[in-house]
Amino acid sequence: MNLPHILDKFIHKPEEKHEVFLTLILQSDFVQAGSWHIKEDGTPHMLGSSSHVVTNDTWEDRLSASDGAISTLPSIEGEEIIKVVLGLHVSYLTPSGDIDKHIRLEMKKLTQELHLRPVGFVSLPQALIYKMKKDEGTPPSVIFIGVADRELCISLYKIATRVAEQIIETNGKGIAEHIDETLGNFPDAEILPSRILLYGAQPQNLEEVKRELLRYPWQSKPNFMHFPKIECISSDVLVESVSYAGASELATSMKEEELESVVSVSASISPEQSKNPEKIEDKEQERESHVFEQKGEIAEEDIMEHVYDNQHIKNENISGEEQKENNTEESVSNVMLVDPESLGFSTQKVVRMADRDERGVHNDSTEEEEEFEMESSTASSADRILSRVHDFLSRMTKSIHISWLTSSIFPVIGVFAILAIGFFLVYWFIPTATVTILETEAPIVITDILTIDPNTTSVDLEKVVIPGKKQEKILTGEKTIDVSGTKSIGDQAKGTVILYNKDTSSSRMIKKGSILLSGSLSFTLDDDVSVASATVNLVNGNSTFGKSTGAITARAIGVQSNLSENSEFSFKEFSDILARNEKQLSGGTSRDVTVVTRADQDALVKSVSIDLLESSKKELGSQISGGEQLIEDTIKTQVNSKTFLQELDQEATQLKGKVTLGVSGVSFSRSDLSSVLGPKIQKEIAEGYRLSTKEPEASVSGVKIAKDGKINAHVVYTVKSEPIINISDMLQAIVGKSIPDVQKYLEKKKGIAGVVFDIKRWISIDRLPINRKNIEIRLETQ
């Protein structure tokens, strides 16, 4: 018997199988598919993704591309993917968030051809904003731009709420200019988010649009506080966002189905059956068989019609965990997000229910439930508390039959007083709220021409002169470079020659070092040589030259001096002395080598100086105290010393040297600059604002240095102002108020771009606590 294998059956649990779902993103120029299953926490576990380009914008090509994308997904043994969540381009949807009726038939045909059963759909911007909200933990403000071949989809979201959305053609004017014009026409576009996210399946299209947007001067536009951060969303993130939305909705639906199943079974068991477990089991089997029969009667076409007409994955109801919190009377943490439009920062008022419908949030509740929700939102907290106390007392008097309780009103009053005190204590101490106010800073930019004088120590307000401070630093750098000079080295040719004296009158003494010439080559005589005079034969009259032998050496190296025998030589100083070699000269050799030149030394000094100049800015900046700013155009360098390891004309392949530089520059104090430009800054501060404590910024250009050392420059000085918000007064004004009343109060305040309410441990999320100590106000800069 093999005991270990038997024990494994009891110890190891069988691997849990997960139902696999499909995500299918449909756009005009591409499709993308992804497979996933739902984890225990309701989020998707991605198994793989694939994308295919749609050649022509037709549903036949889109069907072929979808089939190709799905077929390349990683296969799972024994699993057949049938249920699909659709991620749709905004152009496929109506303004109310439903699928366009012309697209609906084509989409039904596509899913039927692929043997898929759709369980929901969501627009791509809505899926992205939902995923960002979950990942970042705060409602983001962002501009989405969907990039396709011939069109762009621009979606503006503020605090996770869609403000406007529009599809534009990319033909004609530049893309960046067209986007800027479209954003300017959006409602509530006075202040736009500083994040622009591009999404699409083809990276080359995204990068091309990103490069054009980065070249556009967004910082000069009045509705952008500064240059926005522009990023591309990868295709994997896009399919994951749609899957995340689908998983949240499906996880909620499955939990609700399990709960409904338990409730229906419990309700179907009679008291008699509860005494007989066998009857309960028979009843359960009978009910399940009935349910399967009913499901079998539903046609596939009806399921498709139900999904395309009604099933829309919502941003507000997409998480089962959030649905539980909305349906519970007292939640642990209820966060209410308010966008700038609801605070009155736009000329168009946004109706709450209309805004929800525009964002694709469809209420499945009945008319009675909507009326009940509207009535309960307008009722005061005190009325609700009294109503619940009355219901509690009514139930208590019915369940507890005590004569003294029904015969006397005083015990009832006592119980009511105790309950009232308890509710008041709970009402006073338990609820807490955090109000996060998003304030908008207003930059103030002052431009002026001023003088920075290193020779003064005080500020001259009339002449706009501030003192400068000279900064100095000694830097040393070493470097090794390749040498570029070349030189020929080798040996000189040597040999012996016979010297002939043609002069008959006297002999000649040829000194050592005398130069002999043979063509273009020159040689020197190694030793003194005496040559006898020539003699004349008296018989025939012929002359016989006097001759002597001497050694010679070529003046230049090289094989060209290895002259052959019987080569003739002449002396540069004597015209009547000739020479001839009887044997070939030998020993002359030459070769080219690299040597150190003056140009190599200069190149090394220049290279080290450039490197030290870059580091000198950091070195000088590090020794400057806080509030000081270095003027980079005043930085100068001077070579104090230089040493080289190799000498000039030395044979070498590299040159190593050490250079010491003296670096100097001029800095100024930003506080001195503030004192000079202070009157101009005060005039630019808007009503209701004050100067921010953040460090100002100064840029210096057009620097001109006079002979006396004074520096004239053009300065752009930027300081930030923030709205004046009195926390104590604001807390006093909003304590115990309803959310709409707080919104009306904040409408009158300047510099507030939005507000987020976080109300905890309270029955109602529409009213702040009455205890001001339980309210915290936070200020954040948008």
Side-chain angles (χ1 to χ4, degrees), residues 478-485 596-611 639 642 644 648 655-659:
E478 295 183 358
K479 200 163 191 179
T480 301
I481 64 173
D482 294 333
V483 298
S484 59
V596 178
T597 63
R598 182 73 64 182
D600 295 329
Q601 292 182 346
D602 294 340
L604 186 143
V605 172
K606 183 178 180 181
S607 178
V608 174
S609 299
I610 293 175
D611 295 342
V639 179
K642 52 185 177 180
F644 305 99
L648 283 174
L655 173 64
K656 184 176 181 180
K658 184 184 207 180
V659 181

Side-chain angles (χ1 to χ4, degrees), residues 23 138 261 321 545 654 696:
T23 291
T138 57
S261 175
E321 193 173 310
F545 297 154
Q654 289 184 323

Side-chain angles (χ1 to χ4, degrees), residues 109-328:
K109 180 180 178 182
L110 183 144
T111 52
Q112 289 174 350
E113 290 288 339
L114 297 175
H115 304 288
L116 299 175
R117 181 161 66 90
V119 295
F121 67 92
V122 64
S123 68
L124 298 181
Q126 201 72 30
L128 290 171
I129 199 68
Y130 174 74
K131 183 66 165 56
M132 289 178 62
K133 178 180 177 182
K134 292 297 183 183
D135 291 344
E136 299 177 3
T138 57
S141 297
V142 66
I143 299 172
F144 288 119
I145 300 180
V147 180
D149 285 340
R150 294 175 294 277
E151 64 183 16
L152 300 176
C153 176
I154 305 176
S155 307
L156 173 59
Y157 282 83
K158 288 191 175 183
I159 316 182
T161 302
R162 187 181 65 181
V163 176
E165 197 167 56
Q166 186 174 342
I167 297 176
I168 62 174
E169 299 290 335
T170 57
N171 299 328
K173 64 178 68 175
I175 293 178
E177 181 180 355
H178 207 164
I179 293 174
D180 183 21
E181 181 180 347
T182 302
L183 291 173
N185 295 330
F186 279 170
D188 193 18
E190 294 85 357
I191 299 177
L192 293 174
S194 58
R195 296 173 67 186
I196 299 178
L197 299 181
L198 310 177
Y199 65 91
Q202 302 185 45
Q204 64 274 17
N205 293 347
L206 295 182
E207 291 298 331
E208 182 179 353
V209 175
K210 178 181 177 181
R211 285 193 296 269
E212 183 168 349
L213 295 182
L214 289 174
R215 292 192 296 265
Y216 194 71
W218 298 105
Q219 69 277 10
S220 62
K221 303 302 176 181
N223 46 7
F224 280 97
M225 300 300 296
H226 49 80
F227 199 93
K229 183 178 182 182
I230 303 173
E231 295 178 332
C232 296
I233 298 176
S234 64
S235 58
D236 291 337
V237 173
L238 188 62
V239 72
E240 185 180 357
S241 298
V242 177
S243 305
Y244 201 101
S248 300
E249 183 73 9
L250 290 170
T252 304
S253 301
M254 288 188 291
K255 290 179 181 179
E256 291 177 351
E257 290 177 0
E258 292 175 1
L259 182 61
E260 291 174 0
S261 175
V262 172
V263 172
S264 61
V265 171
S266 300
S268 63
I269 300 175
S270 64
E272 296 179 359
Q273 293 170 338
S274 63
K275 300 178 180 180
N276 193 343
E278 296 180 356
K279 291 185 178 182
I280 295 176
E281 184 177 358
D282 295 339
K283 184 67 176 180
E284 175 70 14
Q285 294 177 355
E286 180 182 353
R287 187 189 65 82
E288 290 181 355
S289 62
H290 178 69
V291 171
F292 284 121
E293 289 174 1
Q294 293 293 328
K295 288 186 178 180
E297 295 173 359
I298 301 176
E300 181 71 20
E301 186 67 25
D302 296 336
I303 296 175
M304 299 279 289
E305 189 69 29
H306 172 73
V307 170
Y308 287 121
D309 290 341
N310 300 317
Q311 180 71 20
H312 184 203
I313 299 175
K314 310 156 187 82
N315 182 28
E316 302 296 335
N317 298 330
I318 205 161
S319 173
E321 193 173 310
E322 292 179 1
Q323 284 184 345
K324 283 185 177 181
E325 293 177 357
N326 293 334
N327 293 333
T328 305

